[in-house]
Coordinates of all heavy atoms in Angstrom, one line a residue:
G1008 N 251.1 7.6 145.4 CA 251.7 8.3 144.3 C 251.1 9.7 144.0 O 251.3 10.3 143.0
L1009 N 250.3 10.1 145.1 CA 249.6 11.5 144.9 C 250.3 12.6 145.6 O 250.1 13.7 145.2 CB 248.2 11.3 145.3 CG 247.2 10.5 144.5 CD1 245.8 10.4 145.2 CD2 247.1 11.0 143.1
G1010 N 251.0 12.3 146.6 CA 251.6 13.3 147.6 C 252.4 14.4 146.8 O 252.1 15.6 147.0
L1011 N 253.3 13.9 146.1 CA 254.3 14.9 145.5 C 253.5 15.6 144.3 O 253.9 16.8 144.0 CB 255.5 14.2 144.9 CG 256.5 13.8 146.0 CD1 257.8 13.1 145.4 CD2 257.0 15.0 146.9
A1012 N 252.6 15.0 143.7 CA 251.8 15.7 142.6 C 251.0 16.8 143.2 O 250.9 17.9 142.7 CB 250.9 14.7 141.9
I1013 N 250.4 16.5 144.4 CA 249.7 17.6 145.1 C 250.6 18.7 145.6 O 250.3 19.9 145.5 CB 249.0 16.9 146.4 CG1 247.8 16.0 145.8 CG2 248.5 18.0 147.3 CD1 247.2 15.2 147.0
V1014 N 251.8 18.3 146.1 CA 252.9 19.3 146.5 C 253.2 20.2 145.4 O 253.2 21.5 145.6 CB 254.1 18.6 147.1 CG1 255.2 19.6 147.2 CG2 253.8 18.0 148.4
K1015 N 253.4 19.7 144.2 CA 253.8 20.5 143.0 C 252.6 21.5 142.7 O 252.9 22.7 142.4 CB 254.0 19.5 141.9 CG 254.4 20.3 140.5 CD 255.9 20.7 140.6 CE 256.3 21.2 139.3 NZ 257.7 21.6 139.3
K1016 N 251.4 21.0 142.7 CA 250.3 21.9 142.4 C 250.1 22.9 143.4 O 249.9 24.2 143.1 CB 249.0 21.1 142.3 CG 249.0 20.1 141.1 CD 248.9 20.7 139.8 CE 248.7 19.6 138.8 NZ 248.7 20.3 137.3
C1017 N 250.3 22.6 144.7 CA 250.2 23.7 145.7 C 251.3 24.7 145.7 O 251.0 25.9 145.9 CB 250.1 23.0 147.1 SG 248.6 22.0 147.4
V1018 N 252.5 24.2 145.4 CA 253.6 25.2 145.2 C 253.3 26.1 144.1 O 253.6 27.3 144.2 CB 254.9 24.4 145.1 CG1 256.1 25.3 144.6 CG2 255.4 23.6 146.3
A1019 N 252.9 25.6 143.0 CA 252.5 26.4 141.8 C 251.5 27.5 142.1 O 251.5 28.6 141.7 CB 252.1 25.6 140.6
A1020 N 250.5 27.0 143.0 CA 249.4 28.0 143.4 C 249.9 29.1 144.3 O 249.3 30.1 144.3 CB 248.3 27.2 144.1
H1021 N 251.0 28.8 144.9 CA 251.6 29.8 145.8 C 252.7 30.6 145.0 O 253.5 31.3 145.6 CB 252.3 29.1 147.0 CG 251.6 29.6 148.3 ND1 251.6 30.9 148.7 CD2 250.9 28.9 149.2 CE1 251.0 31.1 149.9 NE2 250.6 29.9 150.3
S1022 N 252.8 30.4 143.7 CA 253.8 31.0 142.8 C 255.2 30.8 143.2 O 256.1 31.6 143.2 CB 253.6 32.6 142.8 OG 252.4 32.8 142.1
G1023 N 255.4 29.5 143.7 CA 256.8 29.1 144.2 C 257.3 28.1 143.2 O 256.8 27.8 142.2
E1024 N 258.5 27.5 143.7 CA 259.1 26.4 143.0 C 259.7 25.3 143.9 O 259.9 25.6 145.1 CB 260.2 27.0 142.0 CG 261.4 27.6 142.8 CD 262.4 28.1 141.9 OE1 262.2 28.2 140.7 OE2 263.5 28.3 142.4
I1025 N 259.8 24.1 143.3 CA 260.3 23.1 144.2 C 261.4 22.3 143.4 O 261.3 22.2 142.2 CB 259.2 22.1 144.6 CG1 259.7 20.9 145.4 CG2 258.4 21.5 143.3 CD1 258.6 20.0 146.0
T1026 N 262.4 22.0 144.1 CA 263.6 21.2 143.5 C 263.9 20.1 144.5 O 263.5 20.1 145.6 CB 264.7 22.1 143.3 OG1 265.2 22.7 144.6 CG2 264.5 23.3 142.4
L1027 N 264.7 19.1 143.9 CA 265.1 18.0 144.7 C 266.5 17.7 144.4 O 267.0 17.9 143.2 CB 264.1 16.8 144.6 CG 264.2 16.0 143.3 CD1 265.1 14.7 143.5 CD2 262.8 15.6 142.9
E1028 N 267.2 17.1 145.3 CA 268.5 16.4 145.2 C 268.4 15.1 145.8 O 268.1 15.0 147.0 CB 269.6 17.3 145.7 CG 269.8 18.6 145.0 CD 270.9 19.5 145.7 OE1 271.6 18.9 146.6 OE2 271.2 20.6 145.2
S1029 N 268.9 14.0 145.1 CA 268.7 12.7 145.8 C 269.8 11.7 145.3 O 270.1 11.8 144.0 CB 267.3 12.2 145.5 OG 267.1 11.0 146.2
T1030 N 270.2 10.9 146.2 CA 271.1 9.8 145.8 C 270.6 8.5 146.4 O 270.3 8.5 147.6 CB 272.5 10.1 146.4 OG1 273.0 11.4 145.8 CG2 273.5 9.0 145.9
V1031 N 270.5 7.5 145.6 CA 270.0 6.2 146.1 C 270.8 5.7 147.2 O 272.1 5.7 147.1 CB 270.0 5.1 145.0 CG1 269.5 3.8 145.5 CG2 268.9 5.6 143.9
G1032 N 270.2 5.4 148.3 CA 270.9 4.8 149.5 C 271.5 5.9 150.4 O 272.0 5.5 151.5
M1033 N 271.4 7.1 150.1 CA 272.0 8.2 150.9 C 271.0 9.2 151.4 O 271.2 9.8 152.4 CB 273.2 8.9 150.1 CG 274.3 8.0 149.8 SD 275.7 8.9 149.0 CE 276.2 10.0 150.4
G1034 N 269.9 9.3 150.6 CA 268.9 10.3 151.1 C 268.5 11.3 150.1 O 269.0 11.3 149.0
T1035 N 267.5 12.1 150.5 CA 266.9 13.1 149.5 C 266.7 14.4 150.3 O 266.5 14.4 151.4 CB 265.5 12.6 149.1 OG1 265.6 11.3 148.5 CG2 264.8 13.5 148.2
T1036 N 266.9 15.5 149.5 CA 266.6 16.8 150.0 C 265.7 17.5 149.0 O 265.9 17.7 147.9 CB 267.9 17.7 150.0 OG1 268.8 17.1 151.0 CG2 267.5 19.1 150.6
F1037 N 264.5 18.0 149.6 CA 263.5 18.7 148.8 C 263.6 20.1 149.3 O 263.7 20.4 150.5 CB 262.1 18.2 149.0 CG 261.7 17.0 148.2 CD1 261.8 15.7 148.7 CD2 261.2 17.2 147.0 CE1 261.5 14.6 148.0 CE2 260.9 16.0 146.2 CZ 261.0 14.7 146.7
T1038 N 263.5 21.1 148.3 CA 263.6 22.5 148.7 C 262.5 23.2 148.0 O 262.3 23.2 146.8 CB 264.9 23.1 148.2 OG1 266.1 22.4 148.8 CG2 265.1 24.6 148.6
V1039 N 261.7 23.9 148.8 CA 260.5 24.6 148.3 C 260.7 26.2 148.6 O 261.1 26.5 149.7 CB 259.3 24.2 149.0 CG1 258.1 25.1 148.6 CG2 258.9 22.8 148.7
T1040 N 260.7 26.9 147.5 CA 260.9 28.4 147.6 C 259.5 29.1 147.3 O 259.0 28.9 146.2 CB 262.0 28.8 146.8 OG1 263.2 28.1 146.9 CG2 262.3 30.3 146.9
L1041 N 259.1 29.8 148.3 CA 257.8 30.5 148.1 C 258.0 32.1 148.3 O 258.9 32.5 149.2 CB 256.7 30.1 149.1 CG 256.4 28.5 149.1 CD1 255.4 28.3 150.2 CD2 255.9 28.1 147.7
P1042 N 257.3 32.9 147.6 CA 257.5 34.3 147.7 C 256.9 34.8 149.1 O 255.9 34.3 149.6 CB 256.5 34.9 146.6 CG 255.6 33.8 146.3 CD 256.3 32.6 146.5
L1043 N 257.6 35.7 149.7 CA 257.3 36.2 151.0 C 256.4 37.5 150.8 O 256.9 38.5 150.4 CB 258.6 36.6 151.9 CG 258.3 37.0 153.3 CD1 257.7 35.8 154.1 CD2 259.7 37.4 153.9
I1044 N 255.1 37.3 151.1 CA 254.1 38.4 150.9 C 253.8 38.9 152.2 O 253.4 38.2 153.2 CB 252.9 37.8 150.2 CG1 253.3 37.0 148.9 CG2 251.9 39.0 149.8 CD1 254.0 37.9 147.9
K1045 N 253.9 40.2 152.3 CA 253.5 41.0 153.5 C 252.2 41.7 153.4 O 252.2 42.8 152.9 CB 254.6 42.0 153.9 CG 256.0 41.4 154.2 CD 256.0 40.5 155.5 CE 257.4 40.1 155.9 NZ 258.3 41.1 156.3
G1046 N 251.1 41.1 153.6 CA 249.8 41.7 153.5 C 249.3 41.6 152.2 O 250.0 41.5 151.1
I1047 N 247.9 41.4 152.0 CA 247.2 41.1 150.7 C 247.5 42.3 149.8 O 247.7 42.2 148.6 CB 245.7 41.1 150.9 CG1 245.5 39.8 151.9 CG2 245.0 40.8 149.7 CD1 245.8 38.5 151.4

């Protein structure tokens, strides 16, 4: 039960967001959106 909690924290550290769509018995889609940074 730690994996998704870690994912959420790491996404936040990258200034991104995570969403999900899921239906029991049919499957799940996770979408992570992160900013595209070109150089520090």
